[in-house]
Amino acid sequence: MSMLKLIGVLMDYPKDELWEHGDELQAALAASASGLSSSRRRALQIFVTDLLASDPLEAQDAWLSLFDRGRSMSLLLFEHIHGESRDRGQAMVDLIEAYRKNGLHLSAKELPDYLPLLLEYLSQRPEEEARDWLHHVNHIVGLLAARAGERKSPYALLFEILVEYAVGKVELDSLRRRVSEEPRDDTNEAMDLVWEEEAVRFGSDAPDDNCSPTGRPLPGTQAVREAVANEATNREVQP
C-alpha cells in the first residue's frame, strides 16, 4: 500500500472493517511510511494506534462531527472551489473522464472529488503526476489542515502530510490565523440555520435516504449528482 493510499484509507469514514484488519493496517503503515521524516512516522504511528484502540462507534461519531457537520471541513474538494455552482457538475464529469482514461471506474453513487478517492487514484499514478495534482489543490488541503488543527482534531496530521508531500514543507501560520477568525459552521446554532435555509421537499423531488456518510454529497448538490448520474448512464449505453 502506497503512502497516499494509506492516508486515504485513514482519512475515509472509519468502517468496522478497519478494526477487523488492524494488523494489516499496521503492516501497511510500516511499509509505506518510510519516505516520511522520523517525526511524521512517529506521529502517524500514534494516530493509527489511537484509532485502532478507540471504540469504533466513538471513532465514527468523531469523524462525522468533523467532516459531516457544516461545509468548511468537507472532503468533497469541488465544494470548496465551486460551491453550489453548476460549474461543479462539469468539473465532476471532467474528473470522472480522467479517472476512466486511467482505469478507475466509479459507481453512479461515488462522487469523484471525494479526497480519499482522489488519493486512491493518485496512488496508482506516477509520483510526479500525483505531486502535481496535490499541488493544484494544496490551498484547499492546507485550509483543511488549519481548520482541523483549530478544532484540535488528530486528522490535522493527515492533511499536513499531504501538504508536505505536495510542496515539500508545511507553512500554515497564515492559514491558521485566518481560520481562527472564521465563524464555526459545525455548532448546533449554525446547523439549525442550515436546516432553516434548506427547502423541505416531498414526493418524487425529495432526496434519497442513502445514509452512508462516505462520499455523501452535502445539501444543495443535486445538480452535481445529476451530472454524475448522467455521465454514468452515458457510459452504460455506449457500445
Side-chain angles (χ1 to χ4, degrees):
M1 183 183 295
S2 73
M3 192 270 290
L4 291 182
K5 172 81 171 184
L6 175 65
I7 296 298
V9 168
L10 296 175
M11 190 179 290
D12 199 1
Y13 178 76
K15 300 174 184 176
D16 293 344
E17 290 86 345
L18 198 67
W19 284 265
E20 296 171 6
H21 300 280
D23 290 342
E24 297 173 29
L25 185 63
Q26 292 279 15
L29 171 63
S32 61
S34 58
L36 299 176
S37 66
S38 58
S39 61
R40 288 293 190 200
R41 287 199 302 273
R42 286 194 300 271
L44 195 56
Q45 178 65 66
I46 292 171
F47 179 96
V48 171
T49 299
D50 288 348
L51 178 60
L52 294 176
S54 64
D55 178 80
L57 289 177
E58 292 180 0
Q60 290 160 1
D61 182 65
W63 189 97
L64 290 170
S65 295
L66 181 64
F67 296 117
D68 210 45
R69 289 176 63 90
R71 291 174 175 158
S72 64
M73 284 300 301
S74 173
L75 293 177
L76 301 173
L77 294 176
F78 292 160
E79 176 77 17
H80 302 280
I81 299 173
H82 300 294
E84 298 181 15
S85 165
R86 288 191 175 273
D87 291 341
R88 187 179 174 205
Q90 184 57 52
M92 290 283 199
V93 171
D94 293 341
L95 187 52
I96 289 174
E97 181 62 21
Y99 287 166
R100 184 173 60 184
K101 285 181 177 179
N102 292 291
L104 179 63
H105 297 276
L106 310 183
S107 73
K109 290 186 177 181
E110 291 180 293
L111 292 181
D113 63 334
Y114 184 57
L115 182 53
L117 177 61
L118 176 64
L119 293 176
E120 178 182 352
Y121 168 73
L122 294 180
S123 71
Q124 304 170 23
R125 305 302 302 156
E127 182 176 344
E128 183 178 353
E129 180 182 335
R131 290 184 187 275
D132 185 61
W133 272 81
L134 288 175
H135 182 78
H136 278 87
V137 297
N138 184 61
H139 59 297
I140 299 172
V141 177
L143 269 175
L144 292 172
R147 286 169 178 158
E150 177 73 12
R151 300 178 190 194
K152 310 300 182 186
S153 170
Y155 282 94
L157 170 69
L158 305 184
F159 296 109
E160 290 176 7
I161 289 175
L162 292 181
V163 170
E164 200 166 60
Y165 181 86
V167 300
K169 57 185 176 181
V170 178
E171 295 180 349
L172 299 176
D173 290 345
S174 62
L175 291 177
R176 288 173 179 138
R177 287 192 295 270
R178 171 180 164 182
V179 303
S180 69
E181 299 172 356
E182 289 180 343
R184 291 279 292 263
D185 65 352
D186 61 335
T187 63
N188 290 334
E189 293 79 6
M191 296 301 294
D192 287 342
L193 287 175
V194 170
W195 282 109
E196 289 175 6
E197 293 170 358
E198 289 292 333
V200 178
R201 292 176 290 161
F202 300 94
S204 61
D205 290 333
D208 62 41
D209 57 355
N210 172 23
C211 62
S212 173
T214 305
R216 182 174 62 193
L218 293 166
T221 61
Q222 183 63 30
V224 172
R225 281 189 285 184
E226 291 173 356
V228 173
N230 289 340
E231 172 67 8
T233 301
N234 291 337
R235 293 203 304 272
E236 290 172 358
V237 300
Q238 289 176 356

